[in-house]
Amino acid sequence: MKQIYDLIIVGGGPAGMTAGIYSARQRLKTLLIAKASGGQMSRKAVNIENYPGLGNISGFDLIRKFESHLKEQKIDIEKNTVRKIKKDKGLFSILTSDKKQFQSKTVIIASGADPRPLEVPGEKEFIGRGISYCVSCDGPLFAGKTVAVIGGGNAGFEAALSLSSYVKKIYILEAGAKIGAHQDIQEKVEKTGKVEVITEAGLKKVEGKDFVESAVYQDKKTKKDKTIQLQGIFVEIGSQPATSFVKDLVSFNEKDEIIVDPKTNQTKTPGLFAAGDVDNVPYKQIVIACGEGAKAAISASIYLQKL
Amino acid sequence: MKQIYDLIIVGGGPAGMTAGIYSARQRLKTLLIAKASGGQMSRKAVNIENYPGLGNISGFDLIRKFESHLKEQKIDIEKNTVRKIKKDKGLFSILTSDKKQFQSKTVIIASGADPRPLEVPGEKEFIGRGISYCVSCDGPLFAGKTVAVIGGGNAGFEAALSLSSYVKKIYILEAGAKIGAHQDIQEKVEKTGKVEVITEAGLKKVEGKDFVESAVYQDKKTKKDKTIQLQGIFVEIGSQPATSFVKDLVSFNEKDEIIVDPKTNQTKTPGLFAAGDVDNVPYKQIVIACGEGAKAAISASIYLQKL
């Protein structure tokens, strides 16, 4: 007979790993399913300076610390991608992309978010040939080159700061009139002397032959098109929650985030919880995602006690 | 002219220190007022095993890590006790017990909670003479003796586990019929072989001459009074939010916790936020308090931008 888990956690970022630590310590029979550890921490281009108690630490090192903490717990881990979650007669069935099936009494969705695409001509052709969604993965390939970062929020400025240590020149293109990045990171970027920030720049297309050669944007003030010669484009315009596998069991807000009760992290389906960047709790931060993962695991445990 | 802060944080536990890290990084002119660092972490009798990324760590060491992280930030710290918070013409005035006054545009209350007293005859007389509210502070004084822990929740079992390494015998008295502690800690306590758990035990009085000599409880099943000979009593029956200085500006729930919007941690007074054990977000955990501290600081920053 196939075993039934008390809790299956979908996702291996800060929310999912914290939920795993909490559920194992409450002796729930737990399975964590994730393709890789760390979630968006693995895409962090600069050091993480705001996870309390750890000062200044790279995303890579923080992931290792979470992983080793999680591995001290009694918990099953499956490296896989979830394709579909169904609920039938009070039990959740989780189907993976390679057609394995797992059953559980409760589920925590902590699948995070994927980078939001540009949706302009040229984007798809040049992915991996000049267009990247991950500075920490691909940045060093552009040493000595000219690049653009699309997006003037924290992520865009962090990307520019990281790139500035080895690229020649960086444009930050922001579609809006205002820069959203926090003051501290703006100051650091300015000090590099390598970054030109262009606001009200609406990216129109990416051009090139085999690799990216230029980007065309509309200057929204003058309504004129302008072209920048460059070799790389890093996309940092936010993310979209990873929820395709669970559409029927939850409700979404206008940002496609799963709506939860912010006190318990329960979704509209009893026994189904969500935590971290995938849900509608505002302010996407590692320590906030951790707090939510802990809440969701405690809520799952209380739900199980009442069964 | 006296300076006006952007943000004053009241409290130096996990929520307050995280709020300080976040606000300083957002370049808010910030003052943190607390008598001591660490909040309830300093009362932790056993190691903390569920703060993600730090594995198994003593409360003392975790406080040191938070402190050193906070001290890297540009933030003012005042070792003091807050007596009163008032709001007048959009500005908060904070008065300390030694009559210093500070002004700020926003405030985060992260003052945590104090141990709940027993409220039985003998309690007040024997505080410091056998009755204690802090195992990590006073436990070792009872080496080789017989003690009782009042309260069968996580805190009570953690206290018993810590005491078991040096006392002779421990009674855990729980007023209810059920033990509230998590399974993992119950198992560890049982393994010590030194602990006797008595449920449905309603403590009636504490007796002794110069020091505690016995505790009398009612066995609620038989309605009969019973007496235990012992030398120490550790009180672990929960805590009450520390809110006396802010009664007029906030609303409370039935547990005397400050009611906040769980998405933003704002109280009913604009510009006044609460985070951590003092508020009505359920599940009192270090990492949840940290997440709330981060949320409150970001909310304060957004509030200031809109001023």
Side-chain angles (χ1 to χ4, degrees):
Chain A
M1 207 187 99
K2 204 155 178 184
Q3 79 167 317
I4 293 170
Y5 284 98
D6 291 321
L7 171 63
I8 290 181
I9 299 161
V10 181
M17 288 200 273
T18 302
I21 292 165
Y22 266 81
S23 64
R25 290 177 52 74
Q26 289 179 88
R27 301 292 183 264
L28 305 188
K29 181 104 199 81
T30 305
L31 172 69
L32 186 149
I33 307 178
K35 199 152 185 198
S37 288
Q40 294 202 66
M41 290 194 285
S42 60
R43 297 181 61 242
K44 272 279 171 188
V46 294
N47 278 2
I48 293 158
E49 298 183 358
N50 58 11
Y51 185 73
L54 287 177
N56 188 321
I57 186 169
S58 73
F60 181 83
D61 286 341
L62 187 53
I63 292 170
R64 290 298 91 84
K65 281 184 181 289
F66 272 73
E67 276 184 341
S68 78
H69 196 166
L70 185 64
K71 280 176 185 160
E72 289 162 18
Q73 318 299 323
K74 225 181 147 188
I75 178 173
D76 293 341
I77 294 178
E78 164 83 17
K79 288 210 175 207
N80 215 326
T81 304
V82 171
R83 160 93 27 116
K84 186 83 191 160
I85 301 182
K86 286 186 294 186
K87 190 178 186 187
D88 192 24
K89 290 175 196 145
L91 261 193
F92 293 94
S93 291
I94 281 110
L95 189 72
T96 64
S97 54
D98 59 355
K99 300 203 170 133
K100 281 193 209 168
Q101 202 167 337
F102 299 95
Q103 289 196 300
S104 181
K105 294 173 196 162
T106 64
V107 172
I108 295 174
I109 305 166
S111 45
D114 299 318
R116 198 172 287 280
L118 294 167
E119 292 176 354
V120 298
E123 178 178 30
K124 282 190 186 148
E125 300 94 290
F126 290 112
I127 288 175
R129 297 192 290 147
I131 291 186
S132 166
Y133 305 84
C134 180
V135 169
S136 63
C137 322
D138 304 325
L141 302 171
F142 296 84
K145 309 227 158 131
T146 296
V147 301
V149 172
I150 314 300
N154 281 322
F157 273 73
E158 286 177 359
L161 186 62
S162 172
L163 289 162
S164 71
S165 58
Y166 46 79
V167 305
K168 194 170 105 195
K169 158 99 187 173
I170 304 156
Y171 296 91
I172 295 179
L173 301 188
E174 164 57 42
K178 253 187 85 177
I179 292 302
H182 289 162
Q183 200 55 42
D184 62 337
I185 181 87
Q186 285 195 50
E187 289 163 15
K188 284 182 185 170
V189 162
E190 202 184 328
K191 273 191 199 147
T192 69
K194 284 186 176 180
V195 180
E196 184 175 339
V197 180
I198 309 176
T199 55
E200 299 187 67
L203 190 71
K204 289 181 74 174
K205 57 184 169 182
V206 179
E207 294 178 323
K209 217 176 143 197
D210 295 330
F211 290 88
V212 167
E213 290 169 14
S214 62
V216 180
Y217 71 91
Q218 189 196 49
D219 179 338
K220 293 183 183 174
K221 285 157 284 189
T222 62
K223 306 281 175 209
K224 280 193 185 144
D225 285 359
K226 294 190 177 175
T227 301
I228 303 174
Q229 305 301 322
L230 44 66
Q231 290 81 50
I233 292 177
F234 290 90
V235 184
E236 296 287 356
I237 54 170
S239 51
Q240 50 197 12
T243 60
S244 56
F245 54 86
V246 72
K247 293 225 177 291
D248 314 333
L249 296 174
V250 297
S251 302
F252 297 97
N253 71 0
E254 71 290 350
K255 292 182 188 165
D256 297 325
E257 295 164 336
I258 295 172
I259 295 173
V260 295
D261 173 345
K263 282 192 174 180
T264 61
N265 286 73
Q266 169 131 352
T267 68
K268 75 170 185 186
T269 299
L272 182 61
F273 305 84
D277 285 7
V278 81
D279 75 28
N280 69 326
V281 174
Y283 317 146
K284 305 308 184 186
Q285 296 288 321
I286 293 168
V287 72
I288 295 174
C290 292
E292 286 185 59
K295 275 188 197 177
I298 298 172
S299 296
S301 162
I302 292 170
Y303 173 89
L304 287 164
Q305 282 164 19
K306 287 183 186 157
L307 275 189
Chain B
M1 207 187 97
K2 201 152 177 187
Q3 81 168 317
I4 294 169
Y5 284 98
D6 291 322
L7 171 63
I8 290 181
I9 299 160
V10 181
M17 288 200 272
T18 301
I21 292 166
Y22 266 81
S23 64
R25 291 178 51 76
Q26 290 180 87
R27 301 292 183 264
L28 305 187
K29 182 103 199 79
T30 305
L31 171 68
L32 186 147
I33 307 177
K35 199 152 183 199
S37 289
Q40 295 203 66
M41 291 194 283
S42 61
R43 297 181 60 242
K44 272 279 171 189
V46 294
N47 278 2
I48 293 158
E49 297 183 358
N50 57 11
Y51 185 73
L54 287 177
N56 188 320
I57 186 168
S58 73
F60 181 83
D61 286 342
L62 187 54
I63 292 170
R64 291 295 93 83
K65 281 185 182 287
F66 271 73
E67 275 185 340
S68 79
H69 196 167
L70 185 65
K71 281 177 185 160
E72 290 162 17
Q73 320 297 323
K74 224 182 150 186
I75 178 173
D76 294 341
I77 294 177
E78 164 83 17
K79 288 209 174 206
N80 216 326
T81 304
V82 171
R83 160 95 26 118
K84 186 83 192 159
I85 301 182
K86 286 185 295 185
K87 191 179 186 187
D88 191 24
K89 291 175 193 144
L91 261 193
F92 293 93
S93 291
I94 281 108
L95 188 74
T96 63
S97 54
D98 58 356
K99 300 207 169 129
K100 282 194 209 168
Q101 200 167 340
F102 300 95
Q103 289 196 301
S104 180
K105 295 174 196 161
T106 64
V107 171
I108 295 174
I109 305 165
S111 44
D114 299 318
R116 199 173 285 281
L118 294 167
E119 293 176 356
V120 298
E123 178 177 32
K124 281 188 188 149
E125 301 94 289
F126 291 111
I127 288 176
R129 296 192 289 146
I131 290 187
S132 167
Y133 305 84
C134 180
V135 170
S136 63
C137 321
D138 304 325
L141 301 172
F142 296 85
K145 310 225 158 134
T146 296
V147 301
V149 172
I150 314 299
N154 281 323
F157 273 72
E158 286 176 0
L161 185 61
S162 171
L163 290 162
S164 70
S165 58
Y166 46 79
V167 304
K168 193 169 105 193
K169 158 98 186 175
I170 305 157
Y171 296 91
I172 295 179
L173 301 189
E174 164 57 42
K178 252 187 86 178
I179 292 303
H182 290 161
Q183 200 55 42
D184 61 339
I185 183 85
Q186 285 195 51
E187 290 163 14
K188 284 182 185 169
V189 161
E190 201 184 327
K191 272 191 202 147
T192 69
K194 286 186 176 179
V195 180
E196 183 175 340
V197 179
I198 307 175
T199 56
E200 298 186 67
L203 189 71
K204 288 181 76 174
K205 58 184 168 181
V206 179
E207 294 177 321
K209 216 177 144 196
D210 295 330
F211 291 88
V212 167
E213 292 170 14
S214 62
V216 179
Y217 70 92
Q218 188 195 51
D219 179 337
K220 293 184 184 175
K221 286 158 284 189
T222 62
K223 307 281 176 210
K224 280 194 185 142
D225 285 358
K226 295 191 176 175
T227 300
I228 303 175
Q229 305 300 323
L230 43 66
Q231 291 83 48
I233 293 178
F234 291 90
V235 183
E236 297 287 354
I237 54 170
S239 51
Q240 50 197 12
T243 60
S244 55
F245 54 86
V246 72
K247 294 225 177 289
D248 313 333
L249 296 173
V250 298
S251 302
F252 297 96
N253 71 1
E254 72 289 351
K255 291 182 191 165
D256 297 325
E257 296 164 335
I258 295 173
I259 295 173
V260 295
D261 172 346
K263 282 191 174 180
T264 62
N265 285 74
Q266 170 131 353
T267 68
K268 74 169 185 186
T269 299
L272 182 62
F273 305 86
D277 285 7
V278 82
D279 75 27
N280 69 326
V281 174
Y283 317 146
K284 306 308 184 188
Q285 296 288 321
I286 293 168
V287 72
I288 295 175
C290 291
E292 285 185 58
K295 275 188 194 174
I298 297 172
S299 295
S301 163
I302 292 170
Y303 172 89
L304 288 164
Q305 281 163 21
K306 288 184 185 155
L307 275 189

